[in-house]
């Protein structure tokens, strides 16, 4: 009643749409600024949220600069006649609207996507909207820590769903519990559901229907215990009375005190042959009903014939609809579905797993998954090739996958190619026919014929690795390394499972560097140049020198900037440009050519917003771009010398022209008549950044004037700071091991008003990704060009340097790859995604790949079997959209029908061959074409 009266009072206030929008925006900004682990977010249906967004924005102009919380969701199609939304209705997010009479025990659909089906609102925002509009049901979710470092915050939309099995009686119950809850909480929940006491039970991780581990560490979280979605938990009752458990029997599922009518809640009495489903299937939606059947089958409670090698599936005949079964999306699992469909439609795999492959499972391989991954994949493949078109829910397979590859657990989007690589490697180890791998030491070529060395390497590989995956997917390439110092040549022949081809169609690269002058002659300016993609720092410096008109008496000093500090000096001209990432920040300083110099690093600091100038020095925070100046070590380094150099370098940033003739210190009046080069603020070019000894003598003759006394702090040993203005006449002593001098310049508000420092604040990235231009889209890139780029000789990156056996040193050798032995099925990965420290980027490049007659004859270095190497495309995965909200599909050719189909999760539809090629193509699957002169061993 209190809530109703509150809503009535709120509505009686008659807030306008604009007032609602502003209030929600302010609440949201305040809530998100203080979000932390343990906070509560609420699911709200996207349909209702969009209605409200349109309602509150209907009178707003289409202002692209409006950065309010709601404007980013606003569709300008809003009408001024939009009515106020009705009460919140989240029923489309949950399985059973009839059970929404309480705020707990409500299960949402497994396939919901944020941004498409729902939005997540901070608790304060939900409370305000619920106060105004009412409705529900309320769907709270908690913020938890995630990621490898456990420092990332994420909303746990899908808590763990676990089935509790009570033994010896056989009662069952399905619960939802956060993976961040402790084992103690799981004990408490289990005892509450089955009316047991903590002393009566032992709880086991019952993965795979085997006692995997006793869960007795009460402080450990379920996440730490590697408990996965939809797995079994065994509740073992101690000291049963008269052969029965000490708990009660139940015909429903209890979750936080409420009854849950989910079709997946299966209760089985061992003494009965019948099957009962709590709540009844008629009360559930279709998705829940499908899951119930899938869960029952996966637990072996019906259809025991599924345990036989062939089950009821059999081998399909020509002309049937077998192989056209979709996979249900369990929630962002399109990445998995697309990869699986390509594998199960690989004819060699389809034939192998539909026969009795169990005898080849390697149960003892420590590198495998004790056969469980192969069994799960084989069972899923048989279901997909069974007669009928009902989509299959790959829940058992996903559970097994998450067990052995936790990186693919949960319901986040992942990389389809990374999953594919894991599956191929995992299936190989599970099906490796070699039970005891011999130790074989590979020998270098040492001038022997390549054919002999390649055969030796391949025989050694097969002696340790022999499986259906090797038979079908593995090839061999030749790797040649050349030492840049002694010219030692090393040749090896390594196996490959797939080829990852780069998409760059050119051999050049565009790089942007900000150029600074040390003599105060010009403002900083960004300079963009084109350099060889596999070039070195000398190439970049040369191009920058030409573009920025560096004098013959000057040179460019190149540095990398990170976190407002100098990360490294790029002085070695042989440093490979491949070590410089696109999101790095580079600066180049025009410095005089001097011998025996040290570098002065000028680090800018300012106070954080809200702090006053009376704050202690420790309150200053670095910002902007540090400046670097050279100082000659041949002369005595005087404090006043450094002051003059700093003011000279900063002089172009003075805001007011009237300040240009202001005397910075007594040194100016003493020197400006005799040496025009020390006119720091004139804006004219100076011939030398290093002040002469004669000027140093003048420095000692007078005291500084306070008009432009920038506070400069010299950082000494143990990070102690000394005011340079105090020691303006004193010589600075540096440790002989020190290569640079560190100076802090503290920018108070007074000096920020005199200098325009924005030139120092926004250092551009080496390369800023922008939207793909029309021109780029209309220029297709040939797959052959990508292959040539992959095989091109290039230097190794420094972190992968090669140990030269002749030099006995690590060398940055050049590496050349050649294809030597091609597999029956050639998998090609197009490297569309690039990852760096602060961003992820996707290349939308359209690759023109052949569907028929992919001819690799001229790319195979081995001439032993100089026959034609032709391949034909039969499957591919596609990635549509951006990094955060993309979607995976598959295009597959059913060879029996000679027809292409689109596999989009549950939906399977025929397509024309012309539709196969698109800019979304990601992983390509080719089969060798049998020709009259083809040699299968090649």
């Amino acid at each position: 009643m209190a809530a109703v009266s509150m809503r009535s009072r709120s509505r009686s206030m008659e807030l306008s749409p604009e007032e609602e929008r502003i209030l929600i925006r302010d609440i949201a900004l305040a809530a998100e600024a203080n979000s932390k682990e343990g906070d509560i977010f609420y699911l709200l249906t996207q349909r209702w949220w969009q209605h409200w967004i349109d309602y509150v924005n209907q009178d707003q102009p289409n202002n692209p600069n409006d950065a309010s919380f709601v404007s980013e969701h606003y569709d300008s199609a809003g009408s001024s006649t939009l009515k106020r939304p009705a009460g919140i209705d989240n029923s489309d997010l949950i399985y059973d609207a009839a059970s929404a009479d309480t705020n707990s025990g409500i299960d949402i659909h497994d396939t919901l996507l944020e941004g498409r089906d729902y939005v997540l609102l901070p608790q304060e925002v939900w409370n305000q909207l619920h106060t105004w509009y009412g409705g529900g049901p309320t769907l709270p979710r908690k913020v938890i820590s995630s990621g490898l470092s456990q420092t990332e915050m994420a909303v746990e939309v899908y808590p763990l769903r676990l089935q509790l099995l009570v033994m010896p009686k056989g009662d069952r119950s399905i619960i939802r519990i956060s993976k961040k809850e402790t084992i103690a909480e799981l004990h408490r929940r289990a005892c509450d559901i089955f009316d047991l006491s903590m002393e009566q039970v032992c709880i086991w991780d019952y993965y795979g229907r085997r006692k995997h581990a006793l869960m007795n560490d009460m402080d450990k979280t379920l996440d730490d215990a590697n408990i996965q979605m939809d797995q079994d938990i065994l509740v073992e009752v101690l000291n049963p009375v008269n052969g029965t458990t000490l708990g009660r029997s139940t015909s429903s599922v209890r979750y936080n005190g409420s009854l849950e009518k989910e079709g997946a809640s299966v209760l089985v009495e061992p003494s009965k042959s019948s099957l009962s489903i709590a709540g009844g299937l008629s009360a559930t939606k279709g998705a829940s009903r499908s899951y119930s059947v899938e869960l029952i089958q996966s637990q072996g409670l019906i259809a025991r014939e599924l345990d036989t090698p062939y089950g009821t599936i059999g081998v399909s005949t020509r002309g049937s609809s077998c192989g056209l079964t979709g996979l249900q999306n369990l929630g962002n699992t399109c990445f998995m579905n697309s990869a699986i469909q390509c594998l199960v439609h690989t004819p060699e795999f389809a034939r192998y797993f539909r026969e009795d492959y169990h005898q080849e499972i390697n149960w003892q391989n420590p590198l495998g998954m004790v056969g469980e991954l192969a069994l799960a994949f084989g069972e899923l493949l048989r279901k997909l090739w069974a007669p009928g078109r009902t989509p299959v829910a790959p829940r058992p397979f996903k559970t097994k996958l998450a067990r052995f590859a936790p990186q693919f657990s949960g319901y986040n989007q992942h990389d389809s190619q990374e999953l594919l690589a894991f599956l191929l490697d995992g299936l190989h180890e599970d099906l490796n026919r070699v039970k005891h791998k011999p130790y074989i030491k590979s020998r270098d070529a040492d001038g022997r014929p390549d054919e002999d060395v390649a055969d030796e390497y391949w025989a050694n590989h097969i002696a340790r690795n022999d499986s259906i995956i090797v038979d079908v997917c593995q090839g061999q390439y030749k790797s040649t390394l050349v030492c840049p110092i002694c010219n030692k040549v090393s040749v090896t022949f390594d196996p490959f499972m797939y080829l990852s081809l780069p998409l760059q169609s050119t051999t050049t690269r565009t790089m942007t560097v900000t150029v600074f002058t040390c003599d105060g002659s010009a403002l900083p300016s960004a300079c963009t140049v084109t350099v060889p993609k596999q070039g070195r720092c000398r190439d970049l410096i040369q191009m920058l020198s030409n573009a920025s008109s560096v004098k013959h008496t000057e040179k460019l000093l190149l540095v990398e900037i990170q976190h407002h500090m100098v990360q490294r000096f790029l002085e070695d001209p042989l440093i490979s440009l491949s070590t410089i990432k696109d999101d790095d920040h580079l600066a180049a300083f025009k410095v005089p050519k001097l011998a025996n110099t040290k570098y002065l690093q000028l680090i800018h600091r300012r106070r954080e917003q809200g702090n006053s100038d009376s704050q202690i020095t420790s309150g200053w925070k670095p910002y902007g771009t540090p400046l670097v100046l050279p100082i000659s070590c041949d002369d005595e380094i005087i404090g006043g010398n450094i002051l003059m150099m700093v003011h000279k370098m900063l002089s172009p940033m003075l805001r007011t022209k009237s300040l240009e003739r202001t005397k910075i210190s007594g040194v100016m009046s003493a020197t400006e008549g005799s040496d025009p080069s020390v006119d720091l603020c004139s804006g004219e070019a100076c011939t030398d950044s290093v002040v002469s000894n004669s000027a140093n003598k003048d420095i000692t003759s007078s005291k500084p004037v306070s008009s432009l006394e920038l506070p400069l702090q010299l950082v000494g040993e143990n990070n102690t700071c000394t005011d340079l203005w105090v020691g303006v006449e004193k010589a600075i002593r540096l440790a002989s091991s020190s290569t640079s001098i560190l100076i802090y310049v503290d920018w108070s508000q007074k000096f920020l008003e005199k200098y325009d420092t924005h030139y120092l604040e926004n250092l551009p990235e080496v390369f800023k990704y922008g939207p793909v231009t029309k021109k780029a889209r209309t220029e297709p890139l040939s797959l052959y060009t990508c292959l040539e780029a992959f095989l091109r000789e290039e230097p190794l990156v420094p972190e992968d340097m090669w140990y030269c056996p002749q030099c006995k040193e690590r060398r940055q050798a050049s590496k050349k790859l050649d294809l030597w032995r091609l597999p029956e099925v050639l998998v090609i990965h197009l490297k569309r995604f690039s990852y760096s420290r602060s961003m992820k980027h996707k290349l939308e490049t359209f690759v023109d790949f052949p569907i028929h007659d992919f001819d690799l004859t001229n790319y195979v270095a081995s001439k032993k079997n100089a026959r034609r190497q032709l391949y034909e495309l039969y499957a591919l995965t596609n990635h549509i959209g951006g990094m955060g909200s993309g979607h995976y599909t598959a295009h597959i050719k059913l060879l029996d029908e000679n027809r292409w189909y689109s596999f989009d999760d549950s939906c399977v539809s025929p397509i024309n061959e012309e539709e196969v090629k698109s800019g979304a193509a990601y992983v390509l699957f080719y089969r060798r074409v049998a020709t009259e002169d083809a040699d299968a061993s090649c």
Side-chain angles (χ1 to χ4, degrees):
M1 291 298 295
V4 173
S5 62
M6 185 180 296
R7 286 197 294 272
S8 300
R9 288 196 300 270
S10 299
R11 289 177 176 172
S12 66
M13 296 170 61
E14 293 295 329
L15 291 178
S16 68
E18 172 68 5
E19 290 172 330
E20 285 192 21
R21 184 182 69 86
I22 293 176
L23 183 56
I24 291 297
R25 178 200 63 188
D26 294 342
I27 294 175
L29 291 175
E32 291 185 346
N34 300 313
S35 62
K36 60 186 182 302
E37 186 176 4
D39 285 352
I40 302 297
F41 276 66
Y42 289 78
L43 275 73
L44 175 65
T45 175
Q46 176 71 33
R47 172 182 47 79
W48 190 95
W49 173 249
Q50 188 61 52
H51 187 181
W52 182 82
I53 291 294
D54 293 338
Y55 167 71
V56 298
N57 281 281
Q58 57 186 313
D59 296 325
Q60 292 295 311
N62 188 13
N63 181 8
N65 296 321
D66 183 7
S68 66
F69 171 74
V70 297
S71 64
E72 64 179 327
H73 303 281
Y74 173 59
D75 187 343
S76 58
S79 168
S80 59
T81 60
L82 282 177
K83 295 181 180 180
R84 179 185 176 89
I88 296 171
D89 181 13
N90 279 335
S91 60
D92 57 340
L93 302 182
I94 64 176
Y95 276 111
D96 188 2
S99 67
D101 54 346
T102 63
N103 290 336
S104 61
I106 303 173
D107 217 2
I108 64 174
H109 288 288
D110 287 335
T111 58
L112 300 180
L113 293 177
E114 184 180 1
R116 184 194 72 183
D117 304 307
Y118 68 90
V119 294
L120 288 168
L121 300 180
Q123 184 171 11
E124 298 83 350
V125 175
W126 166 264
N127 288 342
Q128 186 60 68
L129 289 174
H130 195 258
T131 298
W132 287 338
Y133 294 93
T138 303
L139 302 173
R141 294 296 187 267
K142 187 178 292 187
V143 175
I144 63 173
S145 59
S146 63
L148 294 177
S149 61
Q150 294 294 303
T151 57
E152 301 172 8
M153 295 295 107
V155 178
E156 190 180 31
V157 175
Y158 290 96
L160 291 175
R161 175 172 44 207
L162 305 177
Q163 180 171 223
L164 305 181
L165 308 175
V166 179
M167 292 298 176
K169 187 172 182 180
D171 285 348
R172 302 161 184 259
S173 178
I174 292 178
I175 67 169
R176 284 279 193 179
I177 185 170
S178 171
K179 64 181 180 180
K180 292 299 180 180
E181 288 289 0
T182 62
I183 291 176
E185 176 62 14
L186 179 63
H187 276 251
R188 188 195 66 77
R189 293 275 296 275
C191 291
D192 180 62
I193 291 171
F194 299 108
D195 279 345
L196 300 169
S197 64
M198 296 282 284
E199 296 78 18
Q200 288 178 292
V201 300
C202 287
I203 292 185
W204 294 81
D205 177 353
Y206 203 43
Y207 174 76
R209 293 304 182 91
R210 291 197 296 266
K211 289 183 178 180
H212 183 73
L214 179 63
M215 302 174 67
N216 57 357
D217 187 347
M218 297 302 176
D219 295 328
K220 200 173 187 179
T221 66
L222 300 179
D223 193 22
D224 294 335
N226 199 22
I227 302 301
Q228 302 296 329
M229 181 74 74
D230 293 319
Q231 80 164 70
D232 295 337
I233 300 295
L234 177 63
V235 181
E236 190 173 43
V237 181
L238 306 177
N239 301 321
V241 178
N242 296 326
T244 60
T245 62
L246 299 178
R248 53 169 166 72
S249 177
T250 179
S251 61
S252 60
V253 178
R254 183 178 298 275
Y255 174 51
N256 279 350
S258 65
L259 295 180
E260 188 172 75
K261 298 179 181 178
E262 175 170 335
S265 305
V266 181
L267 308 178
V268 176
E269 294 291 341
S271 60
K272 300 179 181 179
S273 60
S274 60
L275 178 73
S276 62
I277 301 178
L281 288 176
S282 59
T284 64
K285 294 188 178 182
S288 177
R289 194 154 47 239
S290 298
Y291 168 64
S292 303
V293 175
E294 182 63 28
L295 180 65
I296 296 168
Q297 291 177 344
S298 69
Q299 294 172 349
L301 301 179
I302 61 174
R304 298 305 300 175
E305 64 270 21
L306 292 178
D307 293 338
T308 64
Y310 295 94
T312 59
I313 295 173
V315 180
S316 64
T317 59
R318 183 180 179 87
S320 70
S321 61
C322 294
L324 295 179
T325 302
L327 285 167
Q328 290 183 15
N329 192 318
L330 305 179
N332 280 336
T333 56
C334 58
F335 77 97
M336 181 181 74
N337 293 349
S338 60
I340 288 175
Q341 291 287 13
C342 290
L343 288 181
V344 301
H345 285 88
T346 298
E348 292 82 357
F349 294 158
R351 186 182 312 113
Y352 178 84
F353 284 99
R354 287 155 72 187
E355 296 174 353
D356 186 7
Y357 62 93
H358 295 76
Q359 59 186 356
E360 289 201 341
I361 293 179
N362 193 331
W363 306 100
Q364 289 81 34
N365 188 356
L367 300 178
M369 291 76 174
V370 293
E372 294 196 27
L373 184 65
L375 288 171
F377 179 80
E379 182 179 347
L380 180 59
L381 182 144
R382 292 183 177 199
K383 290 179 181 178
L384 292 174
W385 278 98
R389 299 285 291 275
T390 303
V392 173
R395 197 178 305 276
F397 178 81
K398 187 178 186 302
T399 301
K400 298 279 188 183
L401 177 69
R403 184 74 178 187
F404 296 106
Q407 66 268 31
F408 298 118
S409 63
Y411 294 98
N412 294 325
Q413 185 67 275
H414 297 282
D415 191 325
S416 180
Q417 187 272 333
E418 291 180 1
L419 171 72
L420 179 68
F422 174 82
L423 284 180
L424 289 174
D425 187 63
L427 290 173
H428 158 65
E429 296 295 353
D430 265 6
L431 298 169
N432 196 347
R433 304 176 185 111
V434 179
K435 307 308 183 201
H436 303 285
K437 295 186 178 184
Y439 173 75
I440 303 174
K441 185 177 181 180
S442 299
R443 295 188 299 158
D444 204 348
D446 291 332
R448 292 182 293 157
D450 284 346
E451 286 74 11
D452 295 343
V453 179
D455 289 345
E456 178 183 292
Y457 269 80
W458 188 252
N460 292 344
H461 175 66
I462 295 299
R464 294 172 53 86
N465 302 276
D466 183 17
S467 70
I468 181 65
I469 306 299
V470 175
D471 297 342
V472 175
C473 292
Q474 284 199 355
Q476 186 183 34
Y477 59 75
K478 175 185 176 183
S479 176
T480 305
L481 292 170
V482 180
C483 177
I485 306 300
C486 69
N487 293 322
K488 163 69 176 176
V489 178
S490 174
V491 178
T492 57
F493 293 83
D494 303 309
F496 67 85
M497 194 90 74
Y498 52 86
L499 301 178
S500 290
L501 305 187
L503 297 191
Q504 290 78 5
S505 59
T506 67
T507 59
T508 59
R509 175 186 182 187
T510 299
M511 302 184 74
T512 298
V513 180
T514 303
V515 179
F516 294 82
T517 60
C518 296
D519 57 10
S521 60
L523 287 167
S525 61
C527 186
T528 301
V529 295
T530 300
V531 295
K533 188 183 298 291
Q534 301 301 331
R536 302 183 184 270
C537 275
R538 62 189 176 196
D539 302 310
L540 176 58
I541 292 173
Q542 181 62 49
M543 298 303 295
L544 289 172
S545 299
N546 296 339
S548 58
S549 303
V550 174
K551 301 175 184 177
H552 71 279
T553 58
E554 297 175 323
K555 67 176 182 178
L556 281 183
L557 174 65
L558 196 63
V559 300
E560 179 184 341
I561 307 297
Q562 278 189 32
H563 307 300
H564 315 294
M565 306 285 284
V566 175
Q567 174 69 16
R568 60 171 172 161
F569 289 89
L570 300 171
E571 293 186 279
D572 185 353
L574 296 180
I575 293 177
S576 175
L577 294 181
S578 62
T579 65
I580 301 174
K581 307 305 180 185
D582 285 340
D583 61 339
D584 285 343
H585 300 268
L586 299 186
F589 297 90
K590 290 184 181 180
V591 300
K593 292 180 179 178
L594 295 173
N596 193 19
T597 60
K598 290 183 182 291
Y599 292 119
L600 184 152
Q601 297 184 42
L602 188 67
I603 309 299
H604 308 282
R605 301 194 302 181
R606 66 179 175 187
R607 299 190 190 279
E608 293 182 319
Q609 293 182 0
N611 295 339
S612 65
D613 283 352
S614 61
Q615 189 177 358
I616 60 175
T617 305
S618 61
W620 295 93
K621 302 295 182 183
Y623 89 106
T625 306
L627 302 179
V628 179
L629 304 93
I631 292 185
S632 174
C633 296
D634 295 332
D635 301 324
E636 191 176 35
I637 302 175
I638 306 297
N641 186 343
I642 295 177
L643 293 171
M644 291 178 61
M645 296 174 63
V646 171
H647 282 287
K648 180 185 292 187
M649 194 170 189
L650 295 175
S651 61
M653 301 179 199
L654 279 169
R655 292 181 184 273
T656 310
K657 293 297 181 182
S658 62
L659 292 176
E660 290 185 355
R661 298 298 174 183
T662 302
K663 296 173 183 177
I664 295 178
S665 67
V667 66
M668 295 306 302
S669 58
T671 60
E672 55 185 4
S674 59
D675 188 358
S677 69
V678 296
D679 187 356
L680 306 186
C681 304
S682 66
E684 300 174 0
C686 302
T687 60
D688 198 342
S689 295
V690 181
V691 182
S692 64
N693 279 334
S694 61
N696 291 344
K697 295 177 183 178
D698 293 332
I699 289 173
T700 62
S701 63
S702 59
K703 296 181 179 180
V705 179
S706 61
S707 59
L708 289 176
E709 291 181 6
L710 277 174
L712 302 179
Q713 304 282 333
L714 173 66
V715 181
E717 296 182 2
N718 301 322
N719 291 325
T720 57
C721 294
T722 304
D723 190 343
L724 269 183
W725 286 96
V726 174
V728 68
E729 304 173 358
K730 298 180 180 179
I732 298 176
R733 296 181 179 178
L734 300 175
S736 58
S737 60
S738 174
T739 59
S740 61
I741 305 170
L742 197 62
I743 302 289
Y744 287 139
V745 53
D746 295 333
W747 292 92
S748 64
Q749 189 59 38
K750 176 180 69 173
F751 288 106
L752 289 174
E753 293 172 358
K754 297 179 183 293
Y755 287 86
D756 188 358
T757 61
H758 85 274
Y759 297 101
L760 306 173
E761 295 176 5
N762 299 312
L763 198 65
E765 295 179 357
V766 168
F767 180 78
K768 184 70 173 178
Y769 288 104
V772 179
T773 62
K774 241 182 206 182
K775 182 178 179 183
R777 288 198 179 101
T778 58
E779 294 180 355
L781 175 63
S782 169
L783 184 61
Y784 291 106
T785 304
C786 299
L787 181 59
E788 289 163 4
F790 173 75
L791 300 176
R792 187 179 296 119
E793 183 177 359
E794 61 182 12
L796 297 173
V797 294
E799 53 266 29
D800 292 334
M801 288 199 301
W802 171 61
Y803 180 81
C804 176
Q806 191 161 295
C807 295
K808 306 298 183 183
E809 296 284 346
R810 298 186 68 83
R811 302 297 189 193
Q812 192 174 12
S814 61
K815 183 176 183 178
K816 175 73 170 71
L817 294 178
D818 292 289
L819 298 179
W820 191 267
R821 186 188 307 264
L822 295 180
E824 290 299 310
V825 169
L826 179 62
V827 181
I828 296 179
H829 164 225
L830 302 178
K831 297 174 69 173
R832 293 197 177 275
F833 302 114
S834 62
Y835 303 87
S836 56
R837 284 188 296 268
S838 61
M839 68 170 294
K840 300 176 182 178
H841 174 67
K842 179 188 176 186
L843 294 173
E844 300 284 355
T845 308
F846 176 80
V847 178
D848 185 10
F849 51 89
I851 297 178
H852 306 283
D853 297 332
F854 181 33
D855 194 347
L856 296 176
T857 306
N858 295 331
Y859 296 93
V860 178
S862 173
K863 303 306 177 186
K864 182 178 180 180
N865 296 292
R867 309 286 181 88
R868 293 195 70 191
Q869 304 288 329
L870 291 181
Y871 284 82
E872 181 173 345
L873 186 75
Y874 72 93
L876 70 154
T877 64
N878 304 289
H879 183 272
I880 305 164
M883 293 293 296
S885 58
H887 179 61
Y888 286 96
T889 65
H891 290 161
I892 296 171
K893 184 177 184 179
L894 221 60
L895 298 181
D896 284 346
E897 298 183 11
N898 194 29
R899 188 173 185 180
W900 284 91
Y901 288 87
S902 171
F903 287 74
D904 187 353
D905 291 331
S906 299
C907 180
V908 180
S909 57
I911 59 173
N912 296 322
E913 189 174 278
E914 293 77 21
E915 301 176 61
V916 171
K917 289 187 181 183
S918 74
Y922 185 41
V923 182
L924 310 174
F925 290 75
Y926 283 94
R927 293 185 71 229
R928 187 194 300 275
V929 177
T931 59
E932 293 181 0
D933 58 353
D935 190 334
S937 65
C938 183

